[in-house]
Amino acid sequence: MKPWVKYTIVRLGVFLVALVVLVLLLPNPYLATLIAAVVAFCVSYLFFAPLRRQVALELAERRSKPEPLDGDSLAEDAELAERDERDAGRAS
């Protein structure tokens, strides 16, 4: 399973558990939801750092790989380069 999927599921699970407990304890469901969100954030920040690090590394790796150019993009780049050369020749 991909790290970002696992991290998302774990965070949602922590939030839902905290929400259920707090809804049973507190009379105001809005306050319970807010507190559950803060609790889930804190728990995930403190205890799931290795999983969060894996997600960050995967995103950085994906971002560092250049996307392969398709034929249309290459043709457009060549046409723009020719147009720039023609414009530079006229300007001289």
Side-chain angles (χ1 to χ4, degrees):
M1 185 181 309
K2 293 188 178 197
W4 68 269
V5 174
K6 192 183 303 184
Y7 185 64
T8 302
I9 290 171
V10 167
R11 284 193 69 177
L12 284 174
V14 170
F15 171 73
L16 290 176
V17 167
L19 181 62
V20 167
V21 169
L22 289 170
V23 164
L24 293 174
L25 295 176
L26 298 175
N28 187 347
Y30 297 113
L31 181 62
T33 304
L34 181 65
I35 294 173
V38 171
V39 167
F41 170 76
C42 293
V43 167
S44 66
Y45 186 78
L46 292 174
F47 298 111
F48 303 126
L51 195 53
R52 187 176 64 247
R53 199 171 301 116
Q54 287 177 358
V55 172
L57 289 174
E58 181 185 342
L59 289 174
E61 180 182 323
R62 188 182 313 166
R63 178 111 174 140
S64 68
K65 291 181 184 175
E67 293 184 22
L69 296 177
D70 59 349
D72 289 338
S73 297
L74 293 173
E76 287 175 6
D77 290 346
E79 185 177 327
L80 288 173
E82 287 177 18
R83 188 179 305 163
D84 288 343
E85 288 176 8
R86 277 186 273 143
D87 291 344
R90 284 187 208 157
S92 318

